[in-house]
């Protein structure tokens, strides 16, 4: 199962899995985009497309009940659905923050919890949580909850990996940096992001391959791109004060804080 499959990294992961003959359950909010992807991939594998808005607190239970009714057993879960809410924390309506947390934290946990018995029943169960490099870095102003939600996903993945170490159930948190997709168009920050240097951008297909390779290799944390791995290695040895100062100085280049 791949959530948020209608665009970006989710689409790339779905295509990569289909190329290896893996049957798919794809879910996303946008029915037309989802059905178009499903039609494309059905030439290779069996695909079920289920429209679901994970901001709805009842969506996960309905999604799982629906596939179980059809006799579908999930071996691999890809928690990919996500987005950002730009601007200052107190300048955004709480209803938007609540919906964000529902999608990015609660739905991830509930879907994993509901599908874990099925995944554990397979000798090669897999969980890929699409986190972000932002979850490995200090917080910054603008999109206040995004890095925090991704940091949660990373720690959640680490705990799941340890709890299921007695089986060949592998869990990976994929932590890409800036990836070319619709993400920044949706958040309204495309013009700002286009000022970043070319080296900062990753390709969605390459990110998908890196995540799936790390999952099969049993690596819990996957950081695509050697530049991001180098940046992570360098900054992790700085003091918290210096790391926060660096983020404060550079946040205005990549975050709306109005």
């Amino acid at each position: 199962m791949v959530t948020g499959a209608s665009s970006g990294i989710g689409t790339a992961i779905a295509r990569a899995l289909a190329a290896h003959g893996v049957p798919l359950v794809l879910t996303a909010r946008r029915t037309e985009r989802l059905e178009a992807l499903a039609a494309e991939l059905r030439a290779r594998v069996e695909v079920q497309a289920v429209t679901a808005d994970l901001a709805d607190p009842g969506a996960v239970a309905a999604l799982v009940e629906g596939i179980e009714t059809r006799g579908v057993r999930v071996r691999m879960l890809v928690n990919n659905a996500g987005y950002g809410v730009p601007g200052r924390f107190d300048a955004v309506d709480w209803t938007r923050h609540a919906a964000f947390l529902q999608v990015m934290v609660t739905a991830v946990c509930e879907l994993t919890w509901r599908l874990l018995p099925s995944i554990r029943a397979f000798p090669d169960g897999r969980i890929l949580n699409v986190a972000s490099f932002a979850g490995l870095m200090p917080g910054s102003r603008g999109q206040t909850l995004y890095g925090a939600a991704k940091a949660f996903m990373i720690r959640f993945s680490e705990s799941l990996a340890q709890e299921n170490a007695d089986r060949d159930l592998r869990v990976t948190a994929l932590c890409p940096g800036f990836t070319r997709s619709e993400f920044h168009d949706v958040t309204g920050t495309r013009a700002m992001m286009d000022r970043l240097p070319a080296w900062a951008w990753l390709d969605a297909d390459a990110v998908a391959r890196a995540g799936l390779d790390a999952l099969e290799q049993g690596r819990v944390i996957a950081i695509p791109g050697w530049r991001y791995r180098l940046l992570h290695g360098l900054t992790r040895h700085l003091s918290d004060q210096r790391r926060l100062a660096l983020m404060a100085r550079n946040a205005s280049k990549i975050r709306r804080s109005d």
Side-chain angles (χ1 to χ4, degrees):
M1 176 182 286
V2 182
T3 70
S6 63
S7 66
I9 296 172
T11 294
I13 290 174
R15 285 174 173 155
L17 290 171
H20 286 85
V22 179
L24 298 166
V25 176
L26 306 178
T27 182
R29 290 183 302 112
R30 296 176 292 185
T31 302
E32 186 175 343
R33 295 281 297 272
L34 191 64
E35 290 292 351
L37 177 63
E40 171 196 331
L41 299 184
R42 284 187 182 117
R44 296 181 174 182
V45 296
E46 179 182 351
V47 181
Q48 298 191 37
V50 184
T51 302
D53 183 357
L54 299 182
D56 176 356
V60 169
L63 173 63
V64 174
E65 181 180 351
I67 64 170
E68 288 179 345
T69 299
R70 299 177 215 171
V72 173
R73 297 173 63 227
V74 173
R75 179 184 68 88
M76 173 189 289
L77 171 62
V78 180
N79 282 307
N80 168 75
Y83 61 102
V85 178
R88 284 175 55 96
F89 181 66
D90 57 353
V92 176
D93 291 340
W94 177 249
T95 53
R96 291 184 67 194
H97 285 319
F100 174 88
L101 291 170
Q102 173 65 35
V103 173
M104 304 288 282
V105 177
T106 304
V108 169
C109 293
E110 183 183 355
L111 189 56
T112 304
W113 181 80
R114 289 185 180 278
L115 292 178
L116 197 53
S118 172
I119 297 170
R120 280 178 59 87
F122 286 88
D124 57 349
R126 303 287 187 264
I127 298 173
L128 179 62
N129 290 324
V130 181
S132 169
F133 192 73
L136 297 169
M137 299 297 287
S140 66
R141 60 183 183 270
Q143 294 198 30
T144 320
L145 294 176
Y146 185 81
K150 294 301 189 179
F152 172 87
M153 185 176 279
I154 294 167
R155 298 296 172 255
F156 178 54
S157 301
E158 291 172 337
S159 295
L160 281 176
Q162 292 179 54
E163 288 181 354
N164 293 280
D166 60 323
R167 296 168 179 256
D168 189 24
L169 196 169
R170 300 178 186 179
V171 184
T172 295
L174 176 59
C175 303
F178 298 114
T179 304
R180 297 194 183 279
S181 70
E182 297 176 0
F183 181 92
H184 301 291
D185 299 306
V186 173
T187 60
T189 57
R190 172 57 61 194
M192 179 181 293
M193 302 309 296
D194 282 347
R195 295 198 293 265
L196 289 174
W199 67 260
W201 290 100
L202 300 172
D203 174 73
D205 291 332
V207 168
R209 289 193 299 271
L212 293 172
D213 287 348
L215 189 61
E216 291 311 306
Q217 293 163 11
R219 289 189 281 126
V220 180
I221 305 294
I223 304 174
W226 68 266
R227 291 181 176 88
Y228 281 102
R229 291 192 292 273
L230 177 62
L231 179 60
H232 180 244
L234 292 173
T235 57
R236 68 188 301 183
H237 296 296
L238 297 177
S239 68
D240 289 343
Q241 184 176 357
R242 290 198 65 185
R243 282 158 51 91
L244 285 168
L246 282 171
M247 290 301 293
R249 187 159 59 244
N250 291 284
S252 61
K253 300 176 184 177
I254 59 173
R255 294 282 189 268
R256 273 179 46 196
S257 57
D258 54 317

